[in-house]
Amino acid sequence: MLNRYARAAVTRILTPVAKLLNRLGISPDVVTILGTIGVCVGALVFFPRGQLLVGVLVITAFVFSDTIDGVMARLLGRTSKWGAFLDSTLDRIGDAAIFSGLAIWFFQGGDDRVMASLAMACLVLGSVVSYARARAEGLGMTASVGIAERADRLVAALVTTGLVGLGLPEVVLKVVLAVLAVASVVTILQRVLFVRQQCIADDAASTPATS
């Protein structure tokens, strides 16, 4: 949802940054890699220490590289399959770092196994959501449907985690993670059914008519 409604506005805001980086001769791939490293540092260094707000601020500073690198590539006229592959692969690493960092904290210092388990559930289910789309596109179909796309999950998790770092009761984050886990399951089912409909339509179209 956020991916559809907010991406255009964010792109407009970040375009001047992308132009500056292009003028400096920085490669979009470098921005992608550095952005992922920054997200992983924020999630795996600060979250396990219980420094949730600091972790969110560091992650936020780097997470927009996911948009900036694409804008840079388009401005340079250098969009490629390699860039798309690298971006998608590193996105999964960043997502894994965020939810793993939360799980580590709540398994250890945070001492809340339910919260840790919900974070791991969001990690696993989020990966399946992304895989379903990637697999469908690899088969020549589409699966960009669902109530909980990547941007929705990240914004909800990061905003709530940051607020918990500011003093919001942890139970709010527990509820949000539970809702994200359920929403991810629903999204997986939506994508499976959407791909199934396309398969049925393809099969019907390829079946020769009988007289």
Side-chain angles (χ1 to χ4, degrees), residues 7 28 35 37-38 43 53 61 63 68 71 84 88 100 109 121 131 143 152 173 188 192 199:
R7 180 170 288 273
I37 292 173
L53 179 59
V63 76
I68 293 174
V71 176
S88 180
S100 294
Y131 173 79
D152 304 313
L173 179 58
I188 292 168
V192 168
C199 291

Side-chain angles (χ1 to χ4, degrees), residues 2-3 23 25 54 78 86 88 92-93 111 119 127 150 152 159-160 170 172 181 184 188 196:
L2 286 174
N3 195 45
R23 285 198 298 269
V54 176
R78 284 167 40 186
L86 179 66
S88 180
R92 303 291 84 73
I93 294 175
D111 194 26
S127 297
R150 179 177 181 261
D152 304 313
V159 168
T160 310
E170 289 186 356
V172 178
S184 295
I188 292 168
R196 183 174 183 272

Side-chain angles (χ1 to χ4, degrees), residues 36 38 69 73 96 179 182 200:
T36 301
D69 57 3
V179 169
V182 172
I200 292 173

Side-chain angles (χ1 to χ4, degrees), residues 2 4 37 41 99 129-130 132 145 148 166 169 173 188 206:
L2 286 174
R4 286 192 288 269
I37 292 173
V41 168
F99 288 105
V129 169
S130 297
V145 297
L166 285 172
L173 179 58
I188 292 168
S206 60

